[in-house]
């Protein structure tokens, strides 16, 4: 930990095991990490730099870093400009073409940071280069954070102190500020001497303090290990900013609370990528013991180490949460226990390790098995770890649970397939309903010709001729029904304000013969609204089918009576009600009446298409219909319309 002024303390480098430190740092091969002196000459060179840029240390140390730039960039003085901008801004980040030893170019992300000593004298620059064609951005951030561990304790301290866009500090168990970094000073306006030792509620509004919200955050972090929040926070000058804060409880090996780490981000100024980067930097600022505890607190990733044979030698809390094993249950066992039997028999775990050795890392997605036998869809990243003499020490393995994403992808694929099938069916129905019209007309013509040729003998065959005519008529009606369905799918009239009273009168006129035959009475009672904004053609079809069905399915012992009402539902929908005193619908039939060619009463003449069309129209407009019915007493159909604007 470090702080400003007289509170500055230093970690004793001897407290960090030298071999462990070099092992972790030298294992990073996906980042070029090196130092420049104040004139821009290379002074250090890591394996990642060697792999990305192809120079051996003895070939490049002492040379100017412009060696890696294109001739055009060097001619324009771009490398020198980068160093000037890094000094002026405190950091310079860029993307562009860089050149390897063999002359090939790659698109690189470069971060140059000036390094100053205690007297604020420029001593050089740190330079981190990523090959963006080989890494996903999120993985870049993860390994970039790990790559920074290779620096010495002094360089590590300078790196944390150089973080200016994040407030990163420690609280003691009581919530008092214990450390203060440059990012905290810039973001919140307090010097270290002004804030260290003060309760962290100084960053909160008076209302939040009076409600005990800072204490609540500490209690949540203690209970759950971590607490994340977004809200207004306040600087020394009283100005407010919207912050994301992460408060993590830190425990020692005896599970005693030793304090809290706190990261604050100003969300108006930071991109998500930078948030991930500096969250990792917060973890790196702790001593070896606190860093270990912090890694162990990660619960969303299973992070573990394997020896060269694939035996598990470390286990974090995320691994326990994801895979269900306690550390004592799994350490010492082969990592293949997480794989399905078919993959084990196929030798896939060994294949993963071999591929990681061959390519420097191996990434895969597939099914993995928890302790309880359940499967989850996992993203797995395996990276070999080498020591300074290039001896394989083992593998780092990071696993993420992507089951939910996989489930969503499967559902999306199924939905696409269903949509395709539905579209194919619609196209088939549309084609059939049109292409069959001509053959039916031909059949009718041939039948007429046959009748004419039979002459007086047609009476001998009248029964068969009648059956043929009936079959042709039935087929024509079915095709007409199919055509109406396809037209309904493809023709959606524009919405307009429709007067329901006028529409009912129009429908009564169309059904005059049916009404007179059954001595039916159609009445409008209470209208909470008279106008409805909808496709007039479709609304007429809905009301026409409901009214005509109410008359057709009349009770034989009484004249049909149809009552029409409108009202507003509790949810604000416009509801059109059509009630009758007819035969009613049994409970077992109510779920079937809206299916195509399904009828509750088969003795009544009809095609069974009307209610299907009503349901189809309403589905297309995201509206709905419900039915309440009692056998021998009647039915009530209620149509719920969503209306953005009220017309009545």
């Amino acid at each position: 930990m470090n702080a400003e002024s007289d509170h500055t303390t230093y970690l004793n480098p001897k407290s960090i095991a030298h071999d462990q430190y070099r092992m972790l740092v030298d294992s990073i091969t996906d980042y070029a990490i090196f130092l420049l002196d104040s004139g821009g000459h290379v002074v250090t060179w890591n394996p990642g730099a060697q792999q990305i840029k192809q120079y051996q240390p003895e070939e490049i140390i002492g040379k100017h870093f412009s060696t890696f730039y294109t001739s055009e960039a060097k001619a324009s003085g771009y490398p020198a400009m980068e160093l000037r901008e890094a000094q002026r801004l405190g950091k310079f980040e860029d993307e562009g073409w860089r050149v390897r030893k063999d002359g090939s170019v790659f698109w690189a992300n470069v971060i140059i940071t000036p390094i100053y000593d205690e007297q604020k004298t420029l001593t050089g620059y740190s330079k981190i280069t990523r090959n963006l064609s080989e890494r996903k951005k999120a993985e870049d951030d993860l390994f970039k954070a790990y790559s920074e561990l290779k620096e010495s304790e002094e360089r590590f301290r300078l790196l944390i102190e150089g973080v200016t866009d994040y407030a990163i500090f420690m609280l003691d168990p009581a919530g008092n500020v214990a450390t203060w970094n440059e990012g905290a000073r810039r973001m919140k306006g307090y010097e270290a001497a002004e804030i260290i030792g003060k309760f962290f509620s100084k960053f909160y509004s008076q209302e939040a303090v009076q409600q005990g919200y800072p204490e609540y955050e500490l209690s949540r972090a203690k209970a759950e290990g971590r607490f994340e929040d977004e809200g207004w926070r306040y600087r020394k000058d009283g100005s407010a900013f919207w912050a994301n804060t992460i408060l993590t409880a830190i425990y020692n090996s005896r599970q005693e609370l030793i304090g809290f780490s706190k990261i604050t981000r100003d969300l108006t100024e930071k991109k998500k990528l930078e948030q991930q980067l500096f969250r990792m930097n917060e973890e790196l600022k702790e001593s070896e013991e606190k860093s270990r505890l912090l890694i162990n607190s990660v619960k969303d990733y299973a992070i573990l180490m394997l020896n060269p044979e694939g035996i598990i030698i470390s286990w974090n809390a995320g691994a326990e949460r994801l895979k269900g094993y306690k550390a004592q249950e799994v350490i010492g066992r082969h990592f293949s226990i997480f794989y399905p039997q078919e993959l084990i028999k196929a030798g896939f775990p060994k294949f993963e390790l071999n591929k990681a050795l061959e390519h420097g890392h191996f990434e895969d997605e597939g099914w993995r098995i928890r302790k309880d036998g359940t499967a989850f869809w996992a993203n797995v990243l395996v990276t070999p770890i080498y020591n300074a003499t290039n001896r394989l020490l083992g593998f780092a393995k990071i696993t993420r649970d992507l089951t939910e994403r996989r489930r969503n992808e499967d559902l999306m694929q199924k939905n696409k397939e269903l949509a395709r099938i539905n579209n194919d069916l619609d196209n088939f129905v549309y084609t059939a309903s049109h292409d069959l019209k001509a053959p039916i007309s031909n059949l009718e013509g041939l039948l007429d010709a046959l009748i004419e040729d039979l002459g007086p003998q047609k009476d001998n065959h009248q029964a068969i001729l009648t059956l043929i005519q009936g079959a042709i008529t039935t087929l024509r009606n079915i095709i007409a029904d199919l055509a109406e369905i396809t037209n309904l799918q493809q023709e959606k009239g524009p919405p307009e304000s429709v007067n329901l009273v006028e529409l009912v009168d129009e429908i009564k006129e169309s059904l005059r013969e049916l009404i007179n035959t059954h001595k039916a009475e159609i009445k409008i009672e209470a209208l909470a609204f008279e106008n409805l904004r909808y496709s007039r053609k479709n609304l007429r079809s809905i009301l026409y089918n409901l009214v005509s069905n109410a008359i057709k399915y009349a009770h034989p012992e009484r004249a049909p009576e149809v009552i029409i009402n409108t009202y507003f539902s509790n949810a604000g929908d416009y509801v059109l009600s059509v009630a009758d005193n007819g035969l009613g619908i049994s409970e077992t039939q109510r779920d079937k009446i809206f299916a195509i060619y399904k009828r509750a009463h088969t003795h009544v003449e009809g095609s069974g298409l009307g209610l299907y069309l009503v349901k189809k129209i309403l589905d297309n407009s995201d509206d709905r219909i419900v039915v309440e019915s009692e056998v021998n007493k009647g039915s009530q159909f209620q149509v719920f319309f969503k209306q953005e604007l009220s017309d009545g």
Side-chain angles (χ1 to χ4, degrees):
M1 309 296 273
N2 52 68
E4 297 181 354
S5 185
D6 295 337
H7 298 279
T8 302
T9 58
Y10 300 92
L11 288 175
N12 183 354
K14 294 180 180 179
S15 67
I16 301 177
H18 186 265
D19 286 344
Q20 291 178 329
Y21 179 80
R22 294 185 62 185
M23 174 189 74
L24 188 57
V25 172
D26 288 346
S27 69
I28 305 302
T29 58
D30 295 329
Y31 287 71
I33 306 172
F34 52 95
L35 288 176
L36 309 177
D37 63 19
S38 59
H41 300 91
V42 179
V43 295
T44 68
W45 197 247
N46 84 317
Q50 182 177 328
Q51 176 174 301
I52 292 174
K53 305 198 178 188
Q54 302 176 344
Y55 291 94
Q56 298 295 323
E58 60 272 16
E59 295 178 301
I60 195 62
I61 290 178
K63 292 188 177 181
H64 198 268
F65 82 111
S66 60
T67 302
F68 314 129
Y69 289 70
T70 63
S71 57
E72 294 84 356
K74 287 188 281 189
S76 66
Y78 196 76
M81 183 278 291
E82 286 189 334
L83 299 184
R84 291 196 303 272
E85 287 298 294
Q87 288 187 62
R88 184 175 71 85
L89 301 174
K91 182 180 80 171
F92 180 80
E93 183 169 358
D94 182 42
E95 290 187 9
W97 294 110
R98 297 295 183 269
V99 184
R100 299 186 181 92
K101 177 184 174 181
D102 64 3
S104 62
V105 296
F106 64 99
W107 189 260
N109 173 272
V110 177
I111 298 176
I112 301 176
T113 306
I115 298 176
Y116 299 89
D117 60 19
E118 300 270 342
Q119 289 74 39
K120 305 299 184 181
T121 301
L122 178 69
T123 61
Y125 304 86
S126 66
K127 194 166 189 291
I128 303 174
T129 302
R130 294 179 292 170
N131 185 347
L132 293 184
S133 63
E134 299 176 356
R135 282 291 179 270
K136 295 178 181 177
K137 219 167 182 60
E139 293 166 356
D140 290 341
D141 300 332
L142 177 62
F143 284 99
K144 181 178 178 180
Y146 277 105
S147 71
E148 292 169 352
L149 278 175
K150 84 176 262 305
E151 303 301 335
S152 66
E153 169 61 20
E154 174 62 16
R155 289 172 184 161
F156 177 73
R157 185 185 67 81
L158 291 172
L159 178 63
I160 294 299
E161 282 297 311
V163 175
T164 58
D165 296 327
Y166 283 65
I168 305 173
F169 54 97
M170 287 284 295
L171 307 177
D172 65 20
N176 300 310
V177 178
T179 67
W180 198 246
N181 80 323
E182 175 64 14
R185 186 190 71 80
R186 291 184 60 176
M187 185 180 295
K188 306 200 178 192
Y190 294 94
E191 298 293 337
E194 296 177 297
I195 197 63
I196 288 178
K198 302 288 181 63
F199 191 56
F200 80 113
S201 63
K202 290 183 72 69
F203 314 131
Y204 293 73
S205 67
Q206 286 297 320
E207 181 181 4
V209 172
Q210 290 171 3
Q211 293 174 349
Y213 194 74
E215 291 83 358
Y216 168 75
E217 284 190 342
L218 295 180
S219 66
R220 286 287 300 276
K222 287 180 186 177
E224 302 174 13
R226 179 179 180 275
F227 180 76
E228 184 169 355
D229 182 45
E230 289 187 11
W232 292 109
R233 298 296 183 267
Y234 293 84
R235 301 182 179 90
K236 177 184 175 182
D237 63 7
S239 60
F241 64 100
W242 187 261
N244 171 272
T245 61
I246 299 175
L247 189 65
T248 304
I250 304 296
Y251 296 87
N252 62 18
S253 59
R254 297 181 297 278
Q255 294 302 305
E256 297 170 338
L257 181 67
I258 59 175
F260 302 87
S261 66
K262 196 165 193 295
I263 305 175
T264 301
R265 295 174 291 171
D266 184 346
L267 293 184
T268 62
E269 299 176 357
K270 290 303 167 210
K271 297 179 182 178
K272 186 176 181 181
L273 180 61
E274 293 167 341
Q275 296 171 352
Q276 297 170 344
L277 169 64
F278 286 103
R279 178 178 294 181
M280 295 305 300
N281 285 337
E282 148 62 18
E283 294 172 355
L284 292 177
K285 82 182 181 70
E286 304 300 334
S287 66
E288 182 187 52
E289 173 65 11
K290 290 181 179 177
S291 294
R292 183 185 65 81
L293 292 170
L294 194 57
I295 290 297
N296 266 345
S297 71
V298 175
K299 296 181 180 179
D300 296 328
Y301 287 73
I303 304 174
L304 54 141
M305 284 284 295
L306 311 175
N307 74 3
E309 288 73 41
I311 303 300
I312 300 165
I313 59 177
S314 75
W315 193 250
N316 82 321
E320 179 179 332
R321 178 183 179 187
L322 182 59
K323 306 195 179 189
Y325 293 92
K326 300 286 186 183
Q328 60 269 25
E329 295 177 305
V330 77
I331 289 177
R333 301 177 68 179
H334 197 269
F335 80 108
S336 61
I337 62 173
F338 311 131
Y339 290 71
Q341 284 299 316
E342 58 268 22
L343 292 183
I344 296 174
K345 291 177 182 178
F348 192 74
K350 181 63 176 176
F351 170 80
E352 282 192 340
L353 299 186
N354 290 338
K355 283 296 181 182
L357 290 173
E358 181 182 350
H359 299 292
H361 77 282
F362 178 77
E363 185 171 4
D364 180 49
E365 289 190 9
W367 292 109
R368 298 296 182 266
I369 308 299
R370 298 185 179 92
K371 177 184 176 182
D372 63 6
T374 59
F376 65 99
W377 187 261
N379 172 272
V380 177
L381 183 66
V382 181
T383 304
I385 304 297
Y386 299 90
N387 66 6
T389 61
N390 209 35
R391 180 172 66 87
L392 178 67
L393 299 176
F395 301 87
K397 192 168 187 289
I398 302 174
T399 302
R400 292 180 293 167
D401 184 356
L402 299 182
T403 306
E404 189 63 29
R405 191 199 73 182
R406 168 76 180 212
R407 185 180 296 114
N408 290 338
E409 289 173 350
D410 289 345
L411 288 174
M412 288 177 63
Q413 185 60 37
K414 289 178 181 177
N415 287 339
K416 289 180 180 178
E417 184 65 18
L418 288 174
R420 185 190 65 77
I421 293 171
N422 188 58
N423 186 59
D424 290 346
L425 288 173
D426 287 343
N427 290 336
F428 171 76
V429 170
Y430 180 80
T431 302
S433 66
H434 285 74
D435 292 353
L436 291 177
K437 288 180 180 178
I440 290 173
S441 297
N442 291 337
L443 286 174
E444 289 178 324
L446 290 172
L447 181 60
D448 291 341
L450 177 62
I451 293 172
E452 184 178 345
D453 288 345
L454 288 173
Q457 297 181 10
K458 72 176 181 178
D459 294 337
N460 299 331
H461 306 283
Q462 189 59 49
I464 294 176
L465 294 174
T466 301
L467 290 174
I468 294 174
Q469 287 175 326
I472 292 174
T473 300
T474 299
L475 185 57
R476 179 178 290 280
N477 290 338
I478 290 173
I479 291 173
D481 290 345
L482 291 176
E484 188 170 355
I485 293 172
T486 56
N487 289 335
L488 179 62
Q489 288 289 96
Q490 299 179 13
E491 297 179 7
K492 297 179 181 179
E496 59 182 287
S497 180
V498 182
N499 185 276
L500 295 174
V501 175
E502 295 175 358
L503 188 61
V504 170
D505 289 340
E506 179 183 325
I507 291 170
K508 287 167 67 176
E509 182 63 27
S510 299
L511 296 172
R512 177 186 297 175
E513 183 177 346
L514 184 66
I515 293 171
N516 292 338
T517 300
H518 289 79
K519 296 182 173 58
E521 183 179 5
I522 301 173
K523 296 191 297 184
I524 297 177
E525 288 193 345
L527 294 182
F529 59 89
E530 292 188 8
N531 294 311
L532 192 67
R533 188 165 182 78
Y534 206 72
S535 163
R536 192 179 194 284
K537 171 181 173 294
N538 288 346
L539 186 58
R540 185 187 186 284
S541 180
I542 292 169
L543 195 54
Y544 180 92
N545 279 291
L546 292 179
V547 172
S548 62
N549 273 5
I551 299 173
K552 289 177 184 177
Y553 293 95
H555 196 283
E557 297 177 0
R558 53 182 176 266
E561 185 179 81
V562 183
I563 307 299
I564 298 173
N565 292 301
T566 64
Y567 64 92
F568 296 103
S569 72
N570 293 333
D573 292 328
Y574 284 53
V575 184
L576 171 63
S577 168
V578 178
D580 64 61
N581 62 344
L583 292 169
I585 305 167
S586 67
E587 189 172 351
T588 59
Q589 294 291 324
R590 289 178 199 167
D591 293 336
K592 302 177 182 178
I593 60 174
F594 294 106
I596 191 168
Y597 299 131
K598 298 292 184 180
R599 293 185 294 158
H601 302 282
T602 56
H603 67 279
V604 178
E605 182 181 352
S607 66
L609 188 66
L611 289 180
Y612 171 79
L613 292 174
V614 169
K615 183 71 163 55
K616 200 74 173 174
I617 291 171
L618 293 170
D619 286 345
N620 288 343
S621 61
D622 198 25
D623 296 309
R624 62 191 177 95
I625 184 170
V626 297
V627 59
E628 297 176 1
S629 185
E630 187 174 348
V631 175
N632 292 324
K633 289 191 176 181
S635 303
Q636 181 185 16
F637 288 84
Q638 299 168 85
V639 187
F640 291 75
F641 296 95
K642 293 180 174 62
Q643 296 282 288
E644 294 184 2
L645 296 174
S646 176
D647 292 309

